[in-house]
Amino acid sequence: KRSWRRWAYDLTPAGMAHKFRLSLSYIDRFMRHYRSVRLQLRQEISSLSLDSHSRVAIVGTTDMSELAYLALRDIGVTGIEIFDHEGVNKTFLGMAVRPLSGMDVNLYTRIILPNSGDESGLKDGLMGFGISEKHVVELLDPSNNRKA
């Protein structure tokens, strides 16, 4: 529990300056981490031999899906579609989210599964539709031994 003296200090100019510096430090650490993850994703996605004519499906509407979308756009990929289990009447980054059950896997150069920890069952399900394992990309997966 904080004492009244601590609260009083926080209200002084020195206390407010200290809180401000702490907040700036936190924002700086957060932004460095964000840029690091985005760079790592961009490097991983760049290794997939994608170009502006590639069609890519991202499965999921998580924060990692958003970073994957940005990384794809950074390397010039514009044919990006978003799929999810709950794709009915949902939007993500201003785009309609399509139901995963309606995905025609043969239309996509790559299908990206942003790493959220539960992709193995989803990947198996996609391969059950006849897509080859090399077309399904699990981002930031340390055990990933993909071949392009």
Side-chain angles (χ1 to χ4, degrees):
K1 197 167 191 174
R2 294 177 61 158
S3 73
W4 68 270
R5 290 176 195 244
R6 184 70 186 159
W7 283 106
Y9 170 75
D10 287 346
L11 296 175
T12 66
M16 292 183 113
H18 177 73
K19 291 289 186 182
F20 182 71
R21 284 190 304 276
L22 287 174
S23 295
L24 284 179
S25 175
Y26 171 78
I27 291 168
D28 182 56
R29 283 190 318 273
F30 177 84
M31 291 306 296
R32 276 187 308 207
H33 180 68
Y34 170 83
R35 285 189 290 271
S36 171
V37 170
R38 191 164 169 189
L39 176 64
Q40 188 176 355
L41 282 172
R42 189 176 322 133
Q43 289 170 342
E44 188 171 343
I45 287 173
S46 292
S47 72
L48 299 175
S49 303
L50 298 171
D51 59 30
S52 61
H53 302 292
S54 300
R55 259 183 104 176
V56 177
I58 298 175
V59 178
T61 56
T62 63
D63 292 335
M64 287 300 293
S65 301
E66 184 174 340
L67 288 172
Y69 175 84
L70 292 172
L72 286 163
R73 293 300 306 238
D74 284 346
I75 65 167
V77 177
T78 57
I80 305 168
E81 295 180 18
I82 309 295
F83 290 85
D84 199 22
H85 294 290
E86 305 153 4
V88 179
N89 298 324
K90 189 174 177 182
T91 59
F92 181 72
L93 300 173
M95 299 180 296
V97 176
R98 299 169 185 244
L100 190 56
S101 60
M103 178 192 290
D104 181 352
V105 295
N106 299 312
L107 296 177
Y108 301 98
T109 310
R110 293 282 195 273
I111 297 173
I112 294 182
L113 307 177
N115 193 339
S116 63
D118 61 351
E119 285 76 23
S120 61
L122 183 56
K123 184 176 181 179
D124 292 342
L126 289 171
M127 290 195 295
F129 285 120
I131 192 161
S132 72
E133 186 172 1
K134 72 177 185 176
H135 286 95
V136 178
V137 178
E138 295 175 278
L139 293 180
L140 300 179
D141 181 1
S143 66
N144 219 347
N145 294 322
R146 278 188 313 279
K147 293 159 189 77

